[in-house]
């Protein structure tokens, strides 16, 4: 069993960032709801308590049972976690008299403390809290302060227990990675040996033990996630992996033929299935985004149910589910938090489909998946592809989906994506695509009035899809692409560019 850091999640928007920063140190970590603490085996090297939207003074605030953790394992509380460790053990937490959100600077640092060694006075940290720690218990010692926050960090004497009021996991805490490294390496004594190669070795062994000689069906999408999952499974079970690439009629222009050929060239056992008419029929008359996603997911499952029956003794359905899919579909805290959108490859299968699910990438972020793919020597043309949603163009066509709208959007999308590649901009963008808008507008072409459709172009920068910002593409490029689209795609007379970030918007429009 690999060394493990446990992160107890209290519902913070930054919890996933804590995990990513720790994994960047080549240490494996898992996020668990605060009220579902896992068995603490000998491989657990430390525990981190996340932030939370709750106040520790709220009667409904989380009350974790830390009996087996505090004083026994290295423990770091961040924001709410730090306030809880103070408030619950004899300190005082009260509403702050000043706003404590955003940038602040350390004015005092105890450089002799194991957690804050190497940090410099004046370094920037990121605050995000409405309460503040007024008093700490007598055996707690302040190890860093800002102008407005005296107890920006503390250590408990006689324990490897610490609290930090700011968020070391966010980019704006300039020495945050060093603080986390101090905790992971010097306090928890982690070996930092969880690498792409070690993940491949461990996952391959686990898959071999779990699957044995069973046959596995894998749905390929042409994207990075399913491709890496396929190669990883092929490494583990060879010809017992049966890949199916479904044309749902919602792929990009020529994608079905091109991607199918590339998979066959990789030596994968892959079958192409044209089910586009079934997806169009299921989408007929639907305009609600969630209903469209569910319809696409339902047909997706039906197709795989039928195809699995053609593979004798198939027992498993493999999926390229990754961590952001899980986070956006299921509450990370196990509580009643809102589901942003459903993902057709998350949440198991209906009872009538007699296949078990295997998801080798379920706990990885997108950047980690690409690192695994490079270690597996997968072609960079596949690894470098932008993410593409499982429901495809079905959620990039606002309103009812029809074959005609898909055809128009495919042409628009091809001009945009090919333009990014031709101008050397593709690799500077994390994800890009076009959206068919449910509006028509007046235009003029030659001496004739037109009343045709509008599209929006979307290009964002991100690392894992959890947050994203719009890309400042050159005006000259946007002008050229807009001109090409309007002149070459019949039915479009207006092009817009989406300059929304995530949050508050999402990357996809639906």
């Amino acid at each position: 069993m690999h060394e493990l850091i446990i992160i107890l999640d209290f519902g913070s928007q930054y919890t996933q960032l804590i995990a990513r920063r720790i994994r960047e140190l080549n240490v494996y970590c898992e996020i668990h709801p605060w009220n579902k603490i896992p068995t603490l085996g000998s491989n657990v090297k430390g525990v981190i308590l996340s932030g939370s939207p709750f106040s520790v003074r709220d009667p409904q605030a989380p009350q974790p049972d830390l009996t087996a953790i505090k004083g026994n394992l290295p423990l770091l509380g961040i924001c709410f976690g730090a306030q809880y460790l103070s408030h619950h053990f004899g300190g005082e937490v009260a509403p702050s008299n000043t706003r404590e959100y955003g940038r602040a600077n350390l004015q005092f640092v105890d450089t002799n403390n194991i957690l804050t060694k190497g940090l410099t006075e004046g370094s920037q940290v990121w605050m995000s809290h409405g309460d503040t720690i007024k008093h700490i218990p007598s055996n707690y010692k302040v190890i860093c302060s800002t102008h407005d926050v005296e107890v920006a960090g503390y250590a408990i004497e006689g324990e490897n227990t610490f609290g930090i009021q700011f968020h070391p996991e966010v980019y704006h805490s300039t020495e945050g990675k060093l603080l986390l490294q101090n905790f992971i390496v010097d306090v928890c004594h982690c070996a930092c040996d969880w690498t792409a190669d070690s993940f491949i070795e461990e996952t391959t062994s686990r898959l071999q033990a779990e699957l044995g000689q069973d046959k596995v069906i894998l749905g390929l999408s042409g994207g990075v996630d399913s491709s890496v999952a396929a190669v990883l499974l092929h490494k583990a079970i060879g010809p017992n992996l049966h890949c199916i690439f479904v044309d749902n009629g919602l792929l990009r222009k020529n994608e079905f033929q091109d991607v199918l050929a590339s998979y066959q060239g990789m030596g994968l056992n892959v079958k192409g299935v044209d089910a586009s008419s079934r997806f169009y029929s299921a989408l007929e008359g639907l305009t609600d985004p969630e209903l469209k996603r569910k319809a696409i997911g339902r047909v997706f499952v039906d197709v795989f149910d039928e195809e699995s029956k053609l593979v004798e003794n198939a027992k498993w359905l493999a999926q390229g589910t990754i961590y952001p899919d899980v986070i956006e579909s299921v509450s990370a805290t196990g509580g009643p938090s809102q589901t942003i959108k459903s993902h057709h490859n998350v949440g198991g299968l209906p009872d009538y489909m007699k296949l078990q699910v295997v998801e080798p990438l379920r706990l990885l972020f997108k950047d980690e998946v690409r690192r695994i793919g490079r270690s597996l020597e997968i072609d960079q043309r596949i690894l470098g592809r932008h993410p593409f949603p499982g429901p495809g163009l079905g959620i990039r066509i606002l309103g009812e989906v029809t074959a005609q709208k898909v055809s128009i959007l495919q042409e628009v999308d091809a001009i945009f994506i090919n333009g990014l590649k031709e101008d050397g901009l593709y690799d500077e963008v994390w994800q890009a695509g076009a959206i068919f808008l449910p509006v028509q507008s007046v235009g003029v072409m030659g001496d004739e009035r037109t009343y045709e459709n509008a599209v929006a172009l979307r290009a964002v920068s991100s690392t894992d899809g959890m947050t994203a910002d719009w890309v400042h593409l050159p005006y000259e490029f946007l002008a050229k692409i807009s001109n090409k689209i309007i002149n070459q795609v019949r039915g479009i007379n207006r092009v817009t560019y989406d300059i929304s970030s995530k949050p508050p918007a999402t990357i996809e429009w639906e």
Side-chain angles (χ1 to χ4, degrees), residues 91-290:
E92 180 186 357
V93 174
S96 175
N97 294 325
T98 58
R99 291 180 60 85
E100 295 176 355
Y101 295 93
R103 295 173 177 83
N105 297 94
L106 296 179
Q107 288 196 338
F108 161 72
V109 177
D110 182 355
T111 56
N112 294 317
N113 186 270
I114 192 170
L115 185 71
T116 49
K117 68 174 183 176
L119 272 63
T120 56
E121 294 182 358
S123 68
Q124 178 177 284
V125 296
W126 189 260
M127 296 287 188
S128 182
H129 56 97
D131 290 343
T132 195
I133 301 172
K134 291 289 187 181
H135 302 290
I136 52 178
S138 59
N139 62 329
Y140 288 37
K141 176 185 177 184
V142 174
I143 57 175
C144 60
S145 306
T146 69
H147 180 271
D148 294 319
V149 181
E150 180 185 358
V151 188
Y154 60 76
I156 299 182
E157 296 176 348
E159 292 183 19
N160 279 328
T161 302
F162 308 86
I164 294 294
Q165 184 61 80
F166 56 89
H167 287 272
E169 69 272 24
V170 304
Y171 172 79
H172 299 290
S173 290
T174 54
E175 295 178 339
K177 185 175 182 179
L178 175 59
L179 184 145
L180 290 174
Q181 180 176 305
N182 288 343
F183 179 71
I184 296 300
V185 177
D186 297 325
V187 179
C188 299
H189 302 296
C190 290
C192 301
D193 58 0
W194 188 72
T195 62
D197 288 341
S198 68
F199 174 84
I200 292 168
E201 181 180 350
E202 292 173 9
T203 304
T204 299
S205 297
R206 177 177 58 80
L207 291 171
Q208 289 170 338
E210 183 178 12
L211 304 175
Q213 296 301 313
D214 292 349
K215 293 182 180 179
V216 179
I217 305 288
L218 169 64
L220 287 170
S221 68
V224 176
D225 305 331
S226 67
S227 300
V228 172
V231 175
L232 195 57
L233 280 159
H234 181 75
K235 181 179 177 66
I237 63 173
N240 281 335
L241 175 66
H242 295 258
C243 300
I244 299 169
F245 183 34
V246 175
D247 183 1
N248 58 10
L250 305 170
L251 302 174
R252 284 174 160 153
K253 183 178 180 181
N254 299 327
E255 186 170 27
F256 182 62
Q257 297 82 359
D258 294 345
V259 173
L260 186 60
S262 69
Y263 281 139
Q264 291 168 339
M266 294 164 60
L268 294 175
N269 178 14
V270 58
K271 176 184 179 181
V273 179
D274 183 356
S276 54
S277 61
R278 294 177 59 175
F279 283 88
Y280 288 151
S281 296
L283 289 166
E284 186 174 351
L286 298 182
T287 59
D288 180 84
E290 192 67 9

Side-chain angles (χ1 to χ4, degrees), residues 395-435:
I395 58 168
R396 291 183 177 175
I397 296 173
L398 275 60
E400 184 180 8
V401 177
T402 66
Q404 181 184 20
K405 291 179 182 177
V406 170
S407 178
I408 291 173
L409 189 57
Q410 284 176 330
E411 295 298 328
V412 172
D413 180 85
I415 291 172
F416 184 31
I417 298 300
N418 290 337
L420 288 170
K421 292 178 179 178
E422 291 167 2
D423 282 36
L425 297 169
Y426 186 83
D427 291 336
E428 297 180 19
V429 173
W430 191 76
Q431 183 171 340
I435 299 92

Side-chain angles (χ1 to χ4, degrees), residues 218-233 263 318-326 343 345 358-362 364-373 376 378 382-390 430-431 463-464:
L218 169 64
L220 287 170
S221 68
V224 176
D225 305 331
S226 67
S227 300
V228 172
V231 175
L232 195 57
L233 280 159
Y263 281 139
Q319 295 180 329
T321 309
I322 64 171
Y323 203 52
D325 299 338
V326 178
H343 288 262
N345 60 341
V358 57
E359 297 169 317
L361 309 178
R362 185 179 178 85
L364 296 183
F365 293 99
K366 178 70 73 173
D367 54 331
E368 295 174 320
V369 174
R370 285 198 169 97
R371 285 201 294 272
I372 300 300
L376 289 169
I378 296 175
I382 292 178
L383 292 181
R385 293 189 68 196
H386 291 171
F388 189 65
W430 191 76
Q431 183 171 340
T463 55
D464 53 28

